[in-house]
Each structure stands twice: as C-alpha cells, then as structure tokens.
Amino acid sequence: MFNRIKTTNLDDYFTQLDRRKEKGVYFYRINGYNQETAEFLQKYYEESRLNGVIVEGGIPNPDGKSLAYYGEVMGMDFAMNKGFITQSLQKWLPRMNMFQRENVSTAIYDALDNMRKKGKNDNIKVEIRFLESNPEKGILSCEVREEFTYPSGKKGQLDYNRTIL
C-alpha cells in the first residue's frame, strides 16, 4: 500500500507516480475557495474525465439481469484467500493493472480478515438464485439458501423464497 505524502503545490496531483520524488498518494481536503482552487478543480475534473471515471448522480443498485450476469461471469463460490480475490478481480475488472489488483485484493482480504478476527463467522454459506426479474413489472423473485454450523458442530440449513413487487 502507498503512504500518504504531502504536496508542495496543487500541480503535484498531476505528477505521474513514477515521477514523484517520494512514492505515495495525496489526500487533502480543500478548505476555502479562490481562483486557484477553481482552476485546480476544473483541471482535476478534466483529467478524471479523460483518464479515469467520474460518477455523477450515484451508482444504482444492480437489477436482476446484472446480478445474473455477475453470477455467470464470477460464479457464486468464494474462498477466503488473497489469491482467490486477486483472480476474481482479474475476471471482473480486467483493465486493472497487476499493481492495482494486488493492492485492492490485499485491502479486501484485510477487511474480511479483520471481520473474521472480530468474531464474524466464516462457516456460513449463502447462495442466492434469482428466479425471475422483470424491471418493467417491478418483480424480483429469488431463492436464498443459508448453510451453517451450529456451535455443537451440527450442520444447519435455512431456505427462503421471496418475491418482491
């Protein structure tokens, strides 16, 4: 992971990582507004538009078709290891370079591992099957199966079928 480093001026944000004196990322909150800030924000927006992604208006929740596509591409299996997460990111986000993929997979793994260490149970398996999705009629129907282990070691299973209108 990168360390946060300090800028000497706003143009530092546009210096390529491999050309920076120190290897790291910038993270600042702008407190105040003037002409220099306005020009920086405009340039930052343009650079983001040309070289990255700008999300305006939020990201909608996935619909049934999107979730079905995800299931086809990624599968519904999960393994709690960094290699699995890295491989999954390569399938799901192929434009991510190896360095980015490694950093993101490490962050995801660390977050999940921290939850596990805090007592979140990793012996629960949840499988979701989408039976029907009709956005025009506003219908989403799914089946959820949860498999788990009781503290006694006995296996348990719960099944739910729901249709949302």
Side-chain angles (χ1 to χ4, degrees), residues 97-123:
N97 68 41
M98 186 178 72
F99 183 75
Q100 293 168 323
R101 201 168 26 255
E102 286 293 322
N103 282 328
V104 171
S105 64
T106 298
I108 291 171
Y109 178 82
D110 287 348
L112 293 173
D113 194 45
N114 284 336
M115 287 191 285
R116 184 186 57 79
K117 287 176 182 173
K118 290 178 182 174
K120 304 298 182 205
N121 202 332
D122 60 3
N123 69 358

Side-chain angles (χ1 to χ4, degrees), residues 35-138:
Q35 186 60 37
E36 181 186 16
T37 306
E39 290 168 5
F40 165 75
L41 291 173
Q42 183 62 41
K43 183 176 180 183
Y44 192 89
Y45 180 88
E46 286 303 314
E47 288 291 322
S48 298
R49 189 178 60 78
L50 295 172
N51 300 305
V53 175
I54 296 174
V55 178
E56 293 182 14
I59 300 173
N61 288 327
D63 61 13
K65 289 179 184 176
S66 298
L67 293 169
Y69 173 75
Y70 177 86
E72 277 181 41
V73 172
M74 299 300 293
M76 291 299 174
D77 294 330
F78 177 78
M80 182 53 184
N81 65 63
K82 198 170 147 253
F84 173 82
I85 296 169
T86 302
Q87 183 181 18
S88 296
L89 285 171
Q90 188 169 8
K91 275 194 233 176
W92 190 244
L93 301 169
R95 290 178 49 193
M96 210 182 241
N97 68 41
M98 186 178 72
F99 183 75
Q100 293 168 323
R101 201 168 26 255
E102 286 293 322
N103 282 328
V104 171
S105 64
T106 298
I108 291 171
Y109 178 82
D110 287 348
L112 293 173
D113 194 45
N114 284 336
M115 287 191 285
R116 184 186 57 79
K117 287 176 182 173
K118 290 178 182 174
K120 304 298 182 205
N121 202 332
D122 60 3
N123 69 358
I124 296 173
K125 176 184 176 188
V126 177
E127 182 179 314
I128 302 172
R129 286 188 31 212
F130 292 92
L131 307 172
E132 180 183 356
S133 172
N134 188 326
E136 290 86 31
K137 294 181 181 177

Side-chain angles (χ1 to χ4, degrees), residues 2-18:
F2 287 112
N3 291 321
R4 185 176 67 116
I5 59 176
K6 293 185 177 186
T7 63
T8 55
N9 63 60
L10 290 174
D11 282 335
D12 287 348
Y13 273 92
F14 306 108
T15 304
Q16 294 294 323
L17 181 63
D18 59 350

